Amino acid sequence: MFKESYSIIGVMSGTSLDGIDLAHINFTIKEDKWRYEILENETISYSENWLNKLKIALGFSGKELIELNEDYTQLLGSIVKSFIDKHQIKNIDAVCSHGHTILHQPQNGFTLQIGNLPKIAQIIQERVVCDFRVQDVKLGGQGAPLVPMGDRILFSEYDYCLNLGGFSNVSFEDNSKRIAFDISPVNTVLNFYSNKLGLNYDDKGKIARSGKVNADLLIELNALEYYKKQFPKSLGFEFVKEVVLPLIEKHSISIEDKMHTFTEHIALQTSLALPNKTGKILITGGGAYNAFLIERMQFHLPKIEIIIPDNKTLEFKEALIFALLGVLKLRNEVNVLSSVTGAKMDHSSGVIFVL
């Protein structure tokens, strides 16, 4: 007999490198309806040393990646342990962690999220559920996005769920199937140019707003092959490093104009990605704070009601959903949908490490 309530720590580190999100969540299930409450929560910023490592890790050798994985698992484990101790959280059912994506090449049957080594359970001294993407890729799927299962279970009142993180991804129901895919890069590009100005990010999109659209660049961005692909499809930082940034850098224009043009590109691709331009859309992730981006989305989607939730849900939605995916794994229930990833079948993904 399964439990009706779970005390879970959800852990997420995204490609935008904002930091490690930790959230203590209480889940309850009654009459097949899941409910959640986000309790203690915190985002731990990366040190400058770790930021630099993670930014260049895409070019690491196999030996360097093994060492990085060991070191990051130690870092992540110690951060989670400190979070639990600081908030005196007791009787935890599991820590459910995404890890941090370094390589994502589903077309080559490969994806790597560091921080998912077995020793993490010993460091934290709790049961750990992690490494959610690898099994899906082995089953022929994209290994992403995984959040849509949580969207279906926890946020079914919205027509669309859109996350604006390092990349944007959307999920929605279509003929009783959950459809989801990555739309475009977002903060991986905008933060890159903010960093060049000595800033971690563009506060409310003010820098981008001060620039102007470069028509030639916008046309080239919108013509990228990825946008012609049918779902399921997903993006990794490789796409930004090898395709997007070289394209932008060919244009001798100001950083402000580059950011303004890319913001317009994000908004336009979002509008093109939604099959029905009416209804309600829930927007979460760091990009939801970018007022200029949200304005441009509203301009391209005038009949859509944009809803930005409370701060806890906005900032910790991915940690929340990976916590739920971990609970579903503990229950041996489906937590990855083949309609989303393109895998051979729905399945219960992730590995469980016990003390």
Side-chain angles (χ1 to χ4, degrees):
M1 190 72 181
F2 288 132
K3 295 173 53 163
E4 291 188 346
S5 68
Y6 296 85
S7 176
I8 301 290
I9 307 290
V11 187
M12 177 69 195
S13 174
T15 48
S16 57
L17 295 173
D18 294 339
I20 298 168
D21 293 335
L22 304 110
H24 177 208
I25 297 145
N26 183 52
F27 289 106
T28 56
I29 181 169
K30 199 167 186 178
E31 297 175 352
D32 293 327
K33 175 69 176 175
W34 285 95
R35 289 180 172 80
Y36 72 90
E37 182 182 7
I38 300 176
L39 304 169
E40 300 88 355
N41 54 84
E42 202 169 343
T43 298
I44 306 297
S45 297
Y46 286 111
S47 67
E48 189 172 345
N49 181 44
W50 268 106
L51 269 178
N52 292 333
K53 273 188 193 178
L54 295 174
K55 283 178 180 177
I56 64 171
L58 186 60
F60 278 13
S61 67
K63 183 180 177 183
E64 288 172 323
L65 284 175
I66 290 170
E67 187 177 327
L68 180 72
N69 200 356
E70 290 278 349
D71 291 347
Y72 187 82
T73 300
Q74 186 68 47
L75 172 77
L76 191 59
S78 63
I79 285 174
V80 175
K81 182 75 166 63
S82 295
F83 175 79
I84 292 169
D85 292 345
K86 175 182 174 180
H87 297 288
Q88 299 182 351
I89 304 170
K90 309 291 185 187
N91 303 317
I92 298 167
D93 289 294
V95 172
C96 303
S97 177
H98 169 268
H100 184 84
T101 298
I102 296 295
L103 298 168
H104 184 64
Q105 301 169 5
Q107 71 278 11
N108 299 321
F110 184 74
T111 187
L112 172 64
Q113 286 70 46
I114 58 174
N116 291 326
L117 297 176
K119 72 174 183 179
I120 194 168
Q122 274 68 48
I123 297 167
I124 299 171
Q125 289 292 295
E126 297 286 353
R127 177 166 57 173
V128 174
V129 188
C130 61
D131 222 4
F132 293 96
R133 300 188 187 276
V134 172
Q135 178 175 296
D136 189 74
V137 172
K138 286 180 178 175
L139 288 170
Q142 290 285 307
L146 300 188
V147 168
M149 186 67 186
D151 290 341
R152 168 182 272 183
I153 291 173
L154 301 178
F155 300 101
S156 60
E157 68 267 36
Y158 300 100
D159 298 284
Y160 299 101
C161 290
L162 176 70
N163 182 67
L164 299 174
F167 300 88
S168 58
N169 53 70
V170 68
S171 81
F172 53 91
E173 294 291 327
D174 183 38
N175 293 323
S176 299
K177 277 189 176 181
R178 195 77 190 179
I179 303 299
F181 50 92
D182 287 347
I183 299 175
S184 74
V186 181
N187 291 332
T188 42
V189 172
L190 297 178
N191 288 356
F192 174 83
Y193 286 107
S194 295
N195 294 167
K196 283 185 171 291
L197 296 173
L199 301 168
N200 290 329
Y201 60 92
D202 182 9
D203 183 31
K204 297 184 175 64
K206 291 173 187 172
I207 299 168
R209 189 191 294 276
S210 71
K212 59 183 185 297
V213 167
N214 181 281
D216 291 340
L217 174 56
L218 185 61
I219 289 167
E220 289 181 45
L221 286 167
N222 289 329
L224 288 172
E225 196 62 34
Y226 178 80
Y227 302 119
K228 301 185 181 98
K229 289 183 180 179
Q230 296 298 305
F231 54 79
K233 57 181 181 176
S234 63
L235 289 166
F237 190 67
E238 295 94 326
F239 178 70
V240 171
K241 183 181 178 183
E242 297 166 11
V243 178
V244 177
L245 292 178
L247 190 158
I248 296 173
E249 288 301 288
K250 285 194 309 181
H251 292 261
S252 299
I253 58 177
S254 69
I255 287 178
E256 290 81 1
D257 289 356
K258 289 174 181 177
M259 294 176 72
H260 187 112
T261 304
F262 199 78
T263 299
E264 187 68 16
H265 168 67
I266 297 165
L268 184 58
Q269 287 303 323
T270 302
S271 71
L272 293 172
L274 307 188
N276 184 0
K277 318 299 183 190
T278 60
K280 294 193 296 184
I281 185 167
L282 177 72
I283 299 184
T284 55
Y289 290 110
N290 188 325
F292 180 56
L293 174 57
I294 300 301
E295 283 175 28
R296 296 312 300 160
M297 285 186 177
Q298 189 71 82
F299 174 83
H300 289 289
L301 293 164
K303 295 182 180 178
I304 287 271
E305 182 185 356
I306 291 177
I307 295 167
I308 296 174
D310 63 275
N311 281 352
K312 279 186 184 180
T313 303
L314 170 59
E315 294 181 15
F316 295 97
K317 178 171 175 266
E318 287 194 296
L320 162 70
I321 289 184
F322 277 97
L324 176 63
L325 298 187
V327 172
L328 295 175
K329 175 65 180 178
L330 292 175
R331 294 165 63 94
N332 198 31
E333 294 177 3
V334 167
N335 62 5
V336 180
L337 299 167
S338 58
S339 64
V340 168
T341 68
K344 294 173 185 173
M345 58 186 177
D346 294 348
H347 56 101
S348 187
S349 193
V351 294
I352 302 170
F353 298 136
V354 294
L355 295 173

